[in-house]
Amino acid sequence: MGGWAIAVHGGAGVDPNLPLHRQEEAKQLLTRCLNLGISALNSNLPAIDVVELIVRELETDPLFNSGRGSALTEKGTVEMEASIMDGPKRRCGAVSGLTTVKNPVSLARLVMEKSPHSYLAFSGAEDFARQQGVEVVDNEYFITPENVGMLKLAKEANAILFDYRIPNGCETTCGANVESPLHMNGLPISVYAPETVGCVVVDREGRCAAATSTGGLMNKMAGRIGDSPLIGSGTYACDLCGVSCTGEGEAIIRATLAREVAAVMEYKGLGLQEAVDFCIKTRLDDGKAGLIAVSKNGEVAYGFNCNGMFRGCATENGFMEVGIWE
Amino acid sequence: MGWAIAVHGGAGDISRSLPHDRRQPREEAIRHCLQIGVEALQSNSPPLDVVELVVRELENIPHFNAGRGSVLTSEGTVEMEASIMDGNTMRCGAVSGLTTVVNAVSLARLVMEKTPHIYLAFDGAEQFAREQGVEIVDSSHFITPENVERLKLAKEANRVQIDYNAQPIQNDTKKEKPCANGDSQIGTVGCVAVDSNGNLASATSTGGLVNKMAGRIGDTPVIGAGTYANELCAVSATGKGESIIRGTVARDVAALMEFKGLSLKEAADCVVHERTPKGTVGLIAVSAAGEVVMSFNTTGMFRGCATEDGYSEVAIWSDAQVE
């Protein structure tokens, strides 16, 4: 029993040809976040504070698809969303459609703690942000040249991009197989493929928390909401565990994936890793996704059914791992 | 086995001394919508079409908190949301923040069928509505004098609530003190249906909470919270959105059936009576086997159900007389 545990992710579904230097950059960021979390946990910061801290860090870094570095809508703008959940009492907060808020996860937390609601979106959320005095910037701040390039490619392929795969002109669903690799500035476009970010933590008191943040799908319709802000889909935490998912949002929503992990633990008595494996194997059908999870007993687990997931995890007894591939 | 259908017009602190002129039109409306659904099932309409049809009807009736008759935000505007889910395929669609779309549930269905996404909201959803050519009107169409009064009362009481007892205009002395006794959550409409082949579907629609912050999203468009359907059952929930989200209510009914082998009724009762705070939740559900359940932990829930073997019921409270 006991001891803290933490996991972070930067998205599921990674191009097997991702250049080594980009793999290194990702691993360094994940390591840095883990270390930040570890020191916070060693100083007894509660789980809910740790997940927010780490996700803020991931949002601020432009490498992954959240905050700065978010994927772009079909209009070339950024619309960010996030959610956070505190296991004890299952308090939760979520935001969608943010365009100027520097750290969506922190606004989600404020929704949870300072509003009578659980979920605020678009201009209502932006107004709330101003009332709360959170840091706001121009929408341009979040837009990176790499993502502008990706959007252009996506529009040319007339597709919506999941991670690195570019479907050939499919209009109804996405996630088809990659064809010949496209290039931009001499580098395979996969380098720029954006991901969601998340963090799950159990602290020394056995309290679990989870948070997820994203810019969503590249070339998504304006107003599209994915799984990341939906409690039970992209994020979930209760007395037993904390879960954050990433991948094809629509598949994650249909599977209510984050809640599913907790439900099989609670209703079928599965252990954390068993629950994660069960959900990844049986709940996703054709959808590609991954998730990270911690249990109140200080365990950490992750799973994914796609080609790689940027992740890192650590437990109080000294275990630490950062990885991308299986 | 056989078809089954249930509809609801919201769970909450519905006073048993609700005046006749506020009770009767709602009961009539539930009866009417139920009948529409029954006739559709009898003509072999797929459950997905049935739930959409019935919820459209409920949205058009101004007595319920959905479509016309939606409660107002703190700014005096209407922001409507809805979701729909098909049990077999588990495809789903949801919308939020609608201000001009006459039938939110139909737009949710179009999101499901005509886009690669599941959920569209606010300006993006409104734009999509125009691209799809659905019926839109000036947002004043949805606003009723009753709801203008409700908002005024809520602001005076300075709390977020939906209270059927906070009568706008009445000089009715039988009503309880408006909104003084904690939040009365009501509103939302929904329908669940199963055909004789076990195909299931669910749909829910609402204007949300009176005096809600602009941009507030409740449980109704959140798949797994207000709406859920899979191969076992279809569920539509109503009540305090924040509790339904936290409790992943609709999903949990199905999860209990699947993972703990509970029956539909046991699962519904467990979620409503053991897993959510009293006074916050109601739900309707049908199973692939043609069973129907309507369960609530609030004072009442406007509801109705019917099954192919001829059973039918319309009720508000849990009076023992109905059997």
Side-chain angles (χ1 to χ4, degrees):
Chain A
M1 180 81 166
W4 51 254
I6 176 172
V8 303
H9 74 73
V14 186
D15 180 359
N17 299 314
L18 187 66
L20 275 178
H21 76 276
R22 295 302 283 225
Q23 293 185 39
E24 271 317 301
E25 268 179 344
K27 294 205 302 200
Q28 277 165 27
L29 174 56
L30 292 165
T31 304
R32 193 174 88 234
C33 288
L34 270 186
N35 285 328
L36 188 60
I38 289 169
S39 104
L41 284 162
N42 281 331
S43 334
N44 292 314
L45 199 64
I48 188 76
D49 292 332
V50 180
V51 299
E52 182 190 359
L53 180 70
I54 301 311
V55 172
R56 281 178 67 93
E57 191 71 21
L58 289 161
E59 284 169 341
T60 304
D61 193 295
L63 189 66
F64 295 130
N65 173 12
S66 67
R68 189 149 172 266
S70 278
L72 306 181
T73 69
E74 59 179 0
K75 299 182 173 175
T77 56
V78 158
E79 283 178 3
M80 300 168 288
E81 47 196 18
S83 61
I84 188 167
M85 193 162 186
D86 190 19
K89 299 191 184 162
R90 291 172 294 154
R91 297 180 309 146
C92 44
V95 286
S96 282
L98 300 183
T99 52
T100 68
V101 175
K102 196 148 177 255
N103 288 101
V105 70
S106 293
L107 191 68
R109 181 150 185 203
L110 287 169
V111 171
M112 176 172 88
E113 297 183 333
K114 298 283 168 70
S115 87
H117 302 317
S118 295
Y119 189 7
L120 289 181
F122 292 89
S123 43
E126 289 275 325
D127 287 345
F128 178 67
R130 277 148 188 77
Q131 285 162 28
Q132 293 293 314
V134 302
E135 195 176 354
V136 298
V137 292
D138 281 340
N139 198 252
E140 282 74 36
Y141 162 86
F142 304 102
I143 300 175
T144 58
E146 290 89 349
N147 282 324
V148 172
M150 282 287 269
L151 180 64
K152 185 157 170 290
L153 283 173
K155 284 182 176 296
E156 282 163 9
N158 190 28
I160 292 170
L161 300 189
F162 285 107
D163 53 80
Y164 68 96
R165 292 163 293 167
I166 303 185
N168 282 327
C170 69
E171 265 141 18
T172 51
T173 118
C174 310
N177 298 319
V178 73
E179 296 295 325
S180 61
L182 293 180
H183 283 71
M184 189 165 65
N185 297 338
L187 291 167
I189 55 94
S190 65
V191 165
Y192 308 104
E195 311 289 354
T196 299
V197 302
C199 180
V200 292
V201 163
V202 56
D203 60 28
R204 285 175 172 150
E205 314 291 317
R207 296 175 293 211
C208 299
T212 313
S213 178
T214 190
L217 289 181
M218 184 66 80
N219 203 22
K220 67 184 179 179
M221 294 170 72
R224 178 263 188 181
I225 292 178
D227 66 289
S228 299
L230 300 188
I231 297 298
S233 288
T235 301
Y236 190 74
C238 60
D239 284 333
L240 291 181
C241 63
V243 185
S244 170
C245 305
T246 166
E248 292 174 8
E250 283 69 14
I252 294 169
I253 292 173
R254 269 200 293 281
T256 52
L257 194 61
R259 170 69 186 124
E260 205 70 355
V261 173
V264 298
M265 289 180 74
E266 183 174 359
Y267 299 144
K268 279 177 73 124
L270 297 192
L272 185 72
Q273 188 69 58
E274 274 185 290
V276 170
D277 292 341
F278 173 83
C279 291
I280 293 289
K281 281 196 184 70
T282 69
R283 298 286 132 169
L284 290 169
D285 296 328
D286 301 325
K288 297 294 183 196
L291 62 92
I292 54 175
V294 288
S295 75
K296 70 175 197 293
N297 298 329
E299 302 158 293
V300 67
Y302 60 83
F304 50 94
N305 68 355
C306 43
N307 194 54
M309 179 169 74
F310 293 107
R311 77 229 173 234
C313 39
T315 56
E316 189 165 6
N317 63 8
F319 170 74
M320 180 159 161
E321 170 196 287
V322 168
I324 302 178
W325 315 114
E326 194 63 57
Chain B
M1 296 247 304
W3 54 256
I5 179 172
V7 307
H8 73 74
D13 191 13
I14 310 169
S15 166
R16 282 174 187 264
S17 53
L18 189 68
H20 181 79
D21 69 336
R22 297 192 66 71
R23 171 184 169 161
Q24 208 267 347
R26 288 178 172 86
E27 280 177 338
E28 233 355 90
I30 295 275
R31 202 166 276 121
H32 165 75
C33 293
L34 188 64
Q35 190 51 31
I36 286 179
V38 165
E39 280 164 17
L41 283 164
Q42 285 169 336
S43 354
N44 294 316
S45 260
L48 190 64
D49 292 345
V50 176
V51 300
E52 183 191 357
L53 181 68
V54 172
V55 171
R56 283 176 65 94
E57 197 70 19
L58 287 161
E59 285 168 340
N60 295 341
I61 293 170
H63 301 308
F64 299 114
N65 174 16
R68 187 147 175 267
S70 281
V71 299
L72 307 181
T73 71
S74 60
E75 300 177 359
T77 55
V78 152
E79 283 177 5
M80 301 169 288
E81 48 196 20
S83 63
I84 186 166
M85 190 160 187
D86 175 44
N88 280 346
T89 58
M90 300 193 48
R91 292 181 315 153
C92 38
V95 287
S96 281
L98 300 182
T99 53
T100 67
V101 174
V102 174
N103 290 104
V105 70
S106 293
L107 193 68
R109 186 163 180 185
L110 286 169
V111 173
M112 176 173 93
E113 296 182 335
K114 299 286 169 72
T115 77
H117 302 319
I118 281 180
Y119 190 3
L120 288 181
F122 292 88
D123 290 349
E126 288 276 323
Q127 181 184 336
F128 176 65
R130 280 149 184 75
E131 286 163 12
Q132 293 293 312
V134 301
E135 195 183 351
I136 56 180
V137 291
D138 187 83
S139 58
S140 56
H141 158 90
F142 304 101
I143 300 178
T144 58
E146 238 180 47
N147 279 310
V148 172
E149 263 310 300
R150 271 205 190 96
L151 179 63
K152 187 157 162 284
L153 283 171
K155 282 180 178 293
E156 282 163 10
N158 195 32
R159 51 194 306 149
V160 173
Q161 57 93 10
I162 302 175
D163 184 357
Y164 265 94
N165 295 322
Q167 303 312 329
I169 326 132
Q170 301 321 333
N171 40 13
D172 188 339
T173 53
K174 284 187 280 183
K175 67 180 159 78
E176 291 175 357
K177 286 195 289 285
C179 45
N181 319 317
D183 296 323
S184 322
Q185 296 86 21
I186 239 180
T188 305
V189 301
C191 180
V192 292
V194 58
D195 65 17
S196 52
N197 294 320
N199 298 310
L200 292 143
S202 171
T204 316
S205 179
T206 189
L209 282 184
V210 175
N211 202 22
K212 67 182 179 179
M213 294 172 69
R216 178 262 189 184
I217 291 178
D219 66 289
T220 295
V222 179
I223 297 297
T227 299
Y228 189 75
N230 63 6
E231 288 179 336
L232 289 177
C233 66
V235 185
S236 169
T238 165
K240 188 171 177 213
E242 285 70 17
S243 301
I244 296 169
I245 288 174
R246 172 184 306 139
T248 53
V249 166
R251 173 69 189 111
D252 266 35
V253 172
L256 283 164
M257 289 179 73
E258 180 174 1
F259 300 133
K260 288 194 93 148
L262 298 191
S263 68
L264 182 74
K265 180 163 172 31
E266 287 169 334
D269 287 345
C270 176
V271 171
V272 169
H273 297 297
E274 294 170 40
R275 300 183 59 90
T276 46
K278 194 163 161 57
T280 61
V281 166
L283 64 88
I284 55 175
V286 288
S287 70
E291 303 156 294
V292 64
V293 69
M294 303 188 291
S295 197
F296 51 98
N297 64 22
T298 49
T299 311
M301 178 169 79
F302 289 103
R303 65 197 187 278
C305 66
T307 55
E308 190 166 7
D309 62 9
Y311 178 74
S312 135
E313 174 193 335
V314 170
I316 303 177
W317 302 282
S318 55
D319 303 314
Q321 68 223 38
V322 177
E323 218 47 85

